[in-house]
Amino acid sequence: MHFTRKVTQYLTWVGADDRRLACFEGVYGVPDGVSYNSYLLQDEKTVLFDTVDKAVYQIFFENLSSALAGRKLDYLVISHMEPDHAYTIEALLTRYPEVTIVCNSKIQAMLGQFFDLDFTGKLQLVKEGDVFSSGKHSFTFVMAPMVHWPEVMMTYDLTDKLLFSADAFGTFGSLNGRLFADEGDFFGENLDEARRYYTNIVGKYGAQVQAVLKKAAKLELDYVCPLHGPVWRSHFGDFLEKYLLWSSYTPEEKSVCLAYASVYGHTENAANILAGKLVERGVKVRMFDTSVTPASYIVANAFRCSHLVFASTTYNAGIFVTMENLIHDLVNHNLQNRAVVLMENGSWAPTSGKLMREALSSLKGVRFLNDTVTIKSALKEDQLAQLDAVADAIASELVPVQPAAAESSLSTAEPSGPLPVDDKAFRKMTYGVQVLTTCADGKDYGCIINTAVQVASGNPKKLSISVIRKNNTCDMLLKAGKFNISILTEDAPYSIFELFGLQSGREVDKFARYPGDDRLSNGIRYIPEYTNAVLACEVIETKDLGLSMLFIANVVESKVLSSGKSCSYDYYHAHIKPKKNPAPEQKEGYVCKVCGYFHEGSDLPDDFTCPLCKHGKEDFEYVAPAGKKKQKGYVCTICGYFEPCEGELPDDFTCPLCNHGKEDFEPAEQ
Ligand code: FEO
């Protein structure tokens, strides 16, 4: 019986879980299984994105047949030729002989290597930036060499802002019915396996991952669909932050990964004593016996921790076998930028320390904190001072020095009159984010606010809102005298905030996204998705506050729509608003704000249209070349608009994009 799930209205997950696999790639234990993801798009043409491993081919074909619902399969897009995704291609061609394969030339070469099939006339070759259409959806292609093989490419759906990311952003572990990362506690339950997947599968290729992340940073992402693990439709920025750390070999935490190899327990004893001394000094320690814990788990923790301690007995005049395997794996995975402490044991000729040092010295940014601690059979009392010195050296780098009491400004500061009003203090207050909607002269209006507050209980309950006066919605609300408040939830994607917060109703139909025409009995629309409640209100009083207009209103109708957690203004900034990624080496040119296409050059002709998404010159913004002198000014913390300004912004300044006032700007250089 088929088992599929919808990703979007048009896209269906047709993959499968494998919980019987002992070792992924023959090396990495997967006690929680693994998923092989494949996705079917039903548009004017049908498009399958990758196939699956042979282990799950039967359920995959049931899923595909069910999702196709009698239609023929028009296209197969291949992202990656590793057999965990490509094994089933031959069987697919037998069942769907009319399918056209969309791939790049490196994939074409590998198809010939893996399969004794004649692909003549069956391939449509694409390269970086090409555009492919399936009808309502247009796609462009992003080459991602070495993430994880050289032929890998990602596919970006320009219509649904959805990235098929191949192995990137994948995770070990079966889906267990949970398709989306936000359908469970990903960061509590799955992050360790995501880290183990990344570091062991693509950890070696940090530079290539960084290159792809810089390309991806230009894309607007509502969905990310990897080949393993859950689909991302919210909170992706938090996962992306981890990728930025892992791929740049930056530790996630200031802590120690302590791995030891011990035959009869004496090396283990020394490792335990050092761990105790570290913990007594306030250092966090993650400790592993290399004979018990598979190397892939320790590799993942070595990527996580800032400091590494390796303690190994000597065996056959070398490093003990399980430690040797671990060191070999770390070198092969190209770990960088770590502080290392070494301990060796040997009853007659200890050599493991020297050999570990030689192997790890080849890694960029690795520094050794000590001369190797040498144990002859068992640690002796007079060696404890050596371990104290090691623990002190590590703690001095990891444990923050407490400020002396006399330096505390709280204890000694003399009162010196009122402090200036610090705008940042207002961000510490708890605000929710809502969509305010109204209707005037037969037209619907809406904007994002973070100002709805219940100001009176009783019957009727009352609430207040304030709206920026320059917003079109404010004028229409004054006219209509009534409005709805849709309370947004934490899973709301950034596109909702863009739609209602950064665009004007004078220029776009903000409700085109919602063909359902959902209205309360007052005839005003509300937002049916990513919303947990809606309230209908009638204005009873207004007050002009200068830049904003205050409305006090009776609540005349309300209903709960979902159990989703309300999104706070702070949560929006921390988890939904896209983070700025490290800027790539930048040439002078113009970047398309819609799809990220970059046009190099100092001029952009008036009739220029984006070759990817067809938007015109007005949707491009100038990008200065690297090294160009930075300009002082202020950036809008709401929408990112930059206003060049040498001195202070005028008090009545408002953002030309989102109409927020001077209080929402902070100094910046661009
Ligand atoms: Fe999941 Fe590189 O294959």
Side-chain angles (χ1 to χ4, degrees):
M1 176 68 181
H2 66 270
F3 168 59
T4 62
R5 286 201 58 193
K6 282 279 190 192
V7 179
T8 66
Q9 181 185 354
Y10 297 99
L11 190 71
T12 305
W13 174 84
V14 293
D17 283 333
D18 181 0
R19 298 183 191 81
R20 290 200 166 185
L21 181 68
C23 282
F24 185 81
E25 293 187 355
V27 183
Y28 308 113
V30 278
D32 300 325
V34 67
S35 75
Y36 305 109
N37 297 339
S38 171
Y39 305 91
L40 178 75
L41 182 83
Q42 283 201 303
D43 198 352
E44 288 164 24
K45 299 288 182 185
T46 57
V47 187
L48 182 68
F49 293 87
D50 293 292
T51 65
V52 297
D53 188 81
K54 63 184 174 191
V56 294
Y57 85 95
Q58 192 167 353
I59 184 70
F60 162 70
F61 280 118
E62 281 189 51
N63 288 346
L64 178 58
S65 171
S66 155
L68 279 168
R71 293 184 65 185
K72 77 182 178 80
L73 181 62
D74 296 305
Y75 292 100
L76 165 67
V77 176
I78 302 177
S79 304
H80 184 17
M81 278 301 296
E82 194 164 10
D84 55 333
H85 311 293
Y87 191 94
T88 319
I89 289 173
E90 184 167 357
L92 185 90
L93 292 177
T94 305
R95 292 171 191 235
Y96 302 96
E98 294 174 6
V99 71
T100 297
I101 295 175
V102 179
C103 65
N104 61 40
S105 57
K106 287 181 183 161
I107 290 174
Q108 178 187 23
M110 286 194 184
L111 279 170
Q113 292 169 205
F114 276 106
F115 302 108
D116 290 323
L117 295 174
D118 180 5
F119 289 98
T120 309
K122 290 201 154 299
L123 304 185
Q124 180 173 330
L125 292 186
V126 294
K127 55 186 185 317
E128 177 96 20
D130 280 358
V131 174
F132 162 78
S133 174
S134 59
K136 291 187 176 68
H137 293 76
S138 296
F139 302 88
T140 187
F141 302 96
V142 179
M143 298 304 130
M146 302 318 299
V147 187
H148 139 237
W149 281 13
E151 85 294 359
V152 171
M153 70 177 192
M154 300 180 182
T155 304
Y156 180 60
D157 179 343
L158 292 156
T159 313
D160 284 342
K161 296 173 183 168
L162 182 152
L163 182 70
F164 295 97
S165 63
D167 272 344
F169 308 115
T171 305
F172 283 146
S174 296
L175 293 176
N176 304 332
R178 193 183 112 191
L179 178 61
F180 296 102
D182 60 24
E183 291 179 314
D185 179 12
F186 183 89
F187 291 96
E189 294 175 0
N190 305 102
L191 184 61
D192 285 349
E193 283 297 81
R195 182 188 301 105
R196 192 165 69 90
Y197 171 87
Y198 172 85
T199 54
N200 286 280
I201 304 299
V202 280
K204 181 181 179 68
Y205 305 109
Q208 289 85 352
V209 174
Q210 286 269 308
V212 169
L213 292 181
K214 281 173 186 167
K215 290 187 198 177
K218 296 175 186 169
L219 303 175
E220 210 177 316
L221 298 176
D222 280 355
Y223 298 89
V224 175
C225 298
L227 287 174
H228 302 285
V231 168
W232 292 84
R233 64 180 173 184
S234 64
H235 307 88
F236 179 65
D238 296 346
F239 196 34
L240 184 61
E241 272 183 20
K242 296 292 181 188
Y243 260 68
L244 289 168
L245 293 176
W246 297 336
S247 58
S248 60
Y249 305 102
T250 305
E252 277 174 83
E253 57 184 36
K254 290 187 169 187
S255 61
V256 169
C257 171
L258 195 168
Y260 66 88
S262 185
V263 178
Y264 294 107
H266 299 95
T267 309
E268 179 185 31
N269 174 247
N272 276 328
I273 291 170
L274 176 60
K277 290 181 181 297
L278 287 168
V279 171
E280 282 171 359
R281 286 162 174 78
V283 174
K284 184 173 188 174
V285 177
R286 300 183 183 277
M287 193 163 176
F288 305 94
D289 183 329
T290 60
S291 296
V292 174
T293 306
S296 68
Y297 290 85
I298 311 176
V299 167
N301 277 282
F303 271 71
R304 181 183 201 171
C305 303
S306 58
H307 287 59
L308 312 177
V309 176
F310 301 109
S312 178
T313 190
T314 301
Y315 201 73
N316 289 331
I319 308 168
F320 185 73
V321 57
T322 52
M323 179 62 81
E324 186 174 40
N325 181 43
L326 172 64
I327 298 287
H328 178 262
D329 260 8
L330 288 170
V331 171
N332 268 357
H333 286 89
N334 198 24
L335 182 62
Q336 300 172 18
N337 309 324
R338 295 298 189 274
V340 173
V341 163
L342 297 174
M343 295 166 65
E344 65 179 356
N345 197 348
S347 293
W348 61 94
T351 57
S352 56
K354 175 172 168 282
L355 295 171
M356 288 192 289
R357 185 178 294 260
E358 282 173 4
L360 294 168
S361 294
S362 65
L363 295 174
K364 199 170 154 189
V366 161
R367 60 193 170 89
F368 296 94
L369 282 189
N370 69 325
D371 293 333
T372 302
V373 176
T374 299
I375 302 159
K376 285 286 195 80
S377 302
L379 191 75
K380 299 298 179 205
E381 188 77 26
D382 61 5
Q383 289 187 289
L384 291 177
Q386 268 184 284
L387 297 192
D388 278 320
V390 167
D392 284 340
I394 294 174
S396 70
E397 296 191 358
L398 298 188
V399 181
V401 177
Q402 298 299 320
E407 292 171 9
S408 164
S409 59
L410 288 178
S411 60
T412 59
E414 291 290 328
S416 57
L419 295 167
V421 175
D422 184 348
D423 292 341
K424 291 191 184 70
F426 288 86
R427 296 201 203 143
K428 302 294 181 195
M429 295 178 77
T430 307
Y431 305 94
V433 258
Q434 308 91 22
V435 180
L436 163 70
T437 46
T438 190
C439 180
D441 301 332
K443 193 165 174 218
D444 299 312
Y445 299 88
C447 68
I448 296 278
I449 61 170
N450 64 338
T451 54
V453 178
Q454 183 182 348
V455 290
S457 53
N459 191 14
K461 298 182 191 317
K462 293 179 172 52
L463 60 75
S464 71
I465 59 169
S466 78
V467 187
I468 294 170
R469 292 210 55 180
K470 283 194 175 177
N471 274 4
N472 200 25
T473 308
C474 185
D475 293 339
M476 295 306 121
L477 178 51
L478 283 167
K479 202 168 195 178
K482 55 186 180 178
F483 61 90
N484 288 346
I485 296 291
S486 300
I487 300 173
L488 292 173
T489 51
E490 289 185 350
D491 57 355
Y494 183 61
S495 57
I496 300 279
F497 294 85
E498 278 185 305
L499 180 63
F500 287 101
L502 305 181
Q503 298 183 49
S504 170
R506 298 181 184 101
E507 286 144 21
V508 296
D509 177 4
K510 297 186 179 185
F511 296 91
R513 177 180 176 132
Y514 306 106
D517 197 29
D518 302 276
R519 295 176 191 272
L520 293 184
S521 59
N522 59 9
I524 297 176
R525 297 190 70 150
Y526 65 93
I527 309 306
E529 58 173 0
Y530 309 116
T531 304
N532 58 17
V534 58
L535 301 95
C537 308
E538 289 179 357
V539 176
I540 54 172
E541 202 172 330
T542 61
K543 183 167 178 56
D544 189 343
L545 302 178
L547 291 176
S548 301
M549 179 69 75
L550 179 74
F551 297 84
I552 298 174
N554 286 332
V555 180
V556 295
E557 184 183 356
S558 65
K559 66 175 177 178
V560 171
L561 302 178
S562 80
S563 59
K565 198 170 171 195
S566 298
C567 180
S568 71
Y569 191 54
D570 182 52
Y571 187 90
Y572 161 74
H573 275 280
H575 301 287
I576 299 175
K577 189 177 176 187
K579 306 274 187 306
K580 288 179 186 163
N581 292 329
E585 277 302 309
Q586 189 58 65
K587 297 175 178 171
E588 183 176 36
Y590 292 82
V591 67
C592 175
K593 290 184 284 186
V594 179
C595 73
Y597 172 80
F598 181 72
H599 173 84
E600 192 177 343
S602 57
D603 282 326
L604 193 67
D606 285 344
D607 60 352
F608 188 86
T609 54
C610 176
L612 295 188
C613 66
K614 310 300 178 205
H615 281 71
K617 181 181 180 179
E618 65 281 4
D619 286 319
F620 278 73
E621 67 184 12
Y622 176 71
V623 179
K628 187 167 177 176
K629 191 173 180 300
K630 288 188 171 174
Q631 200 172 18
K632 283 192 173 172
Y634 293 83
V635 68
C636 177
T637 57
I638 308 297
C639 71
Y641 169 78
F642 179 75
E643 174 71 12
C645 178
E646 283 293 329
E648 284 278 314
L649 282 176
D651 284 345
D652 61 351
F653 182 82
T654 56
C655 176
L657 291 187
C658 66
N659 289 334
H660 280 73
K662 177 186 175 182
E663 66 280 6
D664 286 316
F665 278 73
E666 58 186 27
E669 283 189 341
Q670 282 192 3

